[in-house]
């Protein structure tokens, strides 16, 4: 698998997603909802005008071992342990990998 983007920690516990030229954000409270309750959460894109728009969602896969990130430009996967380490601030960033087309869980 080839790395295609990164997940990194941002100010206030938010998570930053960088994929090619696109930049997205997951709020700190949303990340907690995903990690503690397994809920699907929104992925936001910060627009230059200061507007915020939901551009996708993140959810755990059926086995609970990976987090899938679905955006308008593509779908990506990251091991749950890597997502947790970045969310807790134990790691600065972690790689994202492309999710095979047609895979939903």
């Amino acid at each position: 698998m080839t790395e295609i983007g990164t997940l990194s920690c941002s100010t206030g516990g938010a998570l930053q997603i960088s994929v090619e030229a696109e930049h997205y954000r997951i709020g700190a409270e949303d990340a907690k909802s995903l990690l503690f309750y397994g809920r699907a959460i929104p992925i936001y894109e910060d627009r230059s005008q200061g507007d915020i728009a939901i551009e996708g969602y993140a959810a755990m896969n059926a086995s609970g071992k990976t987090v899938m990130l679905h955006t308008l430009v593509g779908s990506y996967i990251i091991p749950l342990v890597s997502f947790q380490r970045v969310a807790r601030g134990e790691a600065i960033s972690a790689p994202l990998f492309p999710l095979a087309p047609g895979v939903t869980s």
Side-chain angles (χ1 to χ4, degrees), residues 2-105:
T2 340
E3 174 185 339
I4 194 155
T6 57
L7 176 76
S8 57
C9 194
S10 184
T11 57
L15 300 175
Q16 196 72 29
I17 300 165
S18 299
V19 179
E20 298 172 15
E22 301 294 323
H23 298 282
Y24 302 100
R25 182 178 57 81
I26 294 174
E29 290 302 313
D30 291 329
K32 288 178 186 175
S33 290
L34 174 72
L35 292 172
F36 294 123
Y37 306 111
R39 294 183 182 139
I41 58 170
I43 295 176
Y44 301 98
E45 179 181 26
D46 290 324
R47 299 198 174 149
S48 59
Q49 302 89 358
D51 296 337
I52 297 175
I54 296 175
E55 295 290 330
Y57 70 96
M60 281 195 223
N61 74 339
S63 71
K65 294 181 181 181
T66 60
V67 175
M68 298 176 301
L69 308 165
H70 300 282
T71 68
L72 295 176
V73 295
S75 296
Y76 313 95
I77 193 166
I78 181 172
L80 177 60
V81 68
S82 297
F83 189 95
Q84 290 170 325
R85 290 186 70 220
V86 173
R88 289 189 300 240
E90 296 172 2
I92 295 171
S93 66
L96 298 176
F97 303 97
L99 187 61
V103 176
T104 58
S105 61

